[in-house]
Amino acid sequence: MPAIRFSDLTLGYDRHPAVHHLCGEIAPGSLTAIVGPNGAGKSTLLKAIAGALSPLDGTVTLAKGKRLAYLPQSAELDRSFPIHVYDLVAMGLWGAAGIFGKIGLGQRSKIEAAIAAVGLTGFESRSIGTLSGGQMQRALFARLLLQDADIILLDEPFTAIDARTSADLLALVQRWHGENRTVVAVLHDIETVKRAFPQTLLLAREAIAWGETGEVLTANNLLKARRMVEAFDSHAAPCAA
């Protein structure tokens, strides 16, 4: 049973497709990068997997009984919300304890361990509005640690953060992979993908190539993806899916 299956999946807005007739499977325990030019539909696809966007046609199916965690782009997060780092991280326990569930000693130790794992010990009482971009991303990864999900979706997790933070968070991603969790990440840095992600989906509103990273990220495939996105006509007729 695949962790995620796409069956003739078409996604978009007002029937203009952002992702067009996608078919394929993501294996359980795999580490997959989704890459492509701006406007290729990468974030749209992640939203559909997370259940935040309904398909225009086709289906996206998750393996039964698997828990999912989703980290959207940092630009989509409201950092003006008055919450401290500790409470933000503790939200990762909501799936187990409920929104109004009491946090016991055992859970407190899990929260503290997650904060320590991302290098934020001492920041527990800091408002998230005072954090740098890298510190905020560390806090969000700590929350993901507590969610203990089988499938983890990351939308541009290393964008606009410093090199050390990127390296530390990438180490967590590889740790999840080692624990046989399914990780899917939208990324822009091709060198990071080549170095750390065994599987890649090259997307340009449709799948240009999908499989082992070295076979997908060829010069010809990357050129085809760029040309496909550049050829998109926003005034074209709606998708006839």
Side-chain angles (χ1 to χ4, degrees):
M1 179 68 183
I4 306 168
R5 174 181 289 151
F6 308 115
S7 301
D8 200 29
L9 179 67
T10 295
L11 306 167
Y13 312 92
D14 299 324
R15 296 203 64 79
H16 291 279
V19 176
H20 193 77
H21 300 298
L22 180 65
C23 295
E25 298 177 349
I26 295 176
S30 59
L31 178 55
T32 303
I34 301 178
V35 303
N38 290 334
K42 304 182 297 295
S43 295
T44 298
L45 180 57
L46 235 59
K47 289 176 182 176
I49 299 171
L53 179 68
S54 297
L56 295 178
D57 199 23
T59 60
V60 53
T61 307
L62 304 184
K64 252 182 205 181
K66 299 301 182 182
R67 300 181 303 278
L68 182 143
Y70 169 50
L71 178 62
Q73 291 183 26
S74 58
E76 299 180 28
L77 302 170
D78 181 9
R79 294 184 57 185
S80 67
F81 190 77
I83 187 172
H84 295 142
V85 168
Y86 186 94
D87 296 321
L88 173 68
V89 175
M91 290 168 63
L93 294 173
W94 281 6
I99 296 176
F100 301 108
K102 186 176 180 180
I103 296 178
L105 289 177
Q107 291 173 317
R108 289 185 184 278
S109 65
K110 288 181 179 180
I111 296 169
E112 291 165 2
I115 291 172
V118 299
L120 284 183
T121 299
F123 285 74
E124 292 85 350
S125 298
R126 289 272 297 270
S127 167
I128 63 171
T130 67
L131 300 180
S132 69
Q135 290 165 347
M136 181 65 179
Q137 204 71 340
R138 287 176 184 270
L140 292 169
F141 265 67
R143 185 175 68 179
L144 286 172
L145 282 169
L146 288 180
Q147 287 181 263
D148 194 26
D150 304 292
I151 301 171
I152 301 170
L153 309 177
L154 307 170
D155 197 350
E156 300 187 18
F158 312 129
T159 299
I161 60 177
D162 60 278
R164 179 177 176 181
T165 297
S166 293
D168 289 347
L169 298 184
L170 180 57
L172 279 178
V173 170
Q174 293 173 322
R175 166 180 156 185
W176 288 326
H177 180 47
E179 294 170 347
N180 207 35
R181 303 177 195 269
T182 304
V183 183
V184 182
V186 169
L187 297 170
H188 282 287
D189 186 350
I190 297 298
E191 293 308 312
T192 296
V193 175
K194 289 179 178 179
R195 186 177 72 253
F197 287 76
Q199 300 290 315
T200 297
L201 166 59
L202 176 56
L203 193 66
R205 300 188 179 272
E206 63 182 40
I208 301 301
W210 190 354
E212 292 186 13
T213 296
E215 297 177 2
V216 169
L217 296 180
T218 65
N220 285 340
N221 284 339
L222 292 169
L223 178 60
K224 182 179 178 181
R226 180 172 61 80
R227 286 176 173 171
M228 181 71 74
V229 169
E230 288 174 351
F232 175 73
D233 182 1
S234 61
H235 300 292
C239 179

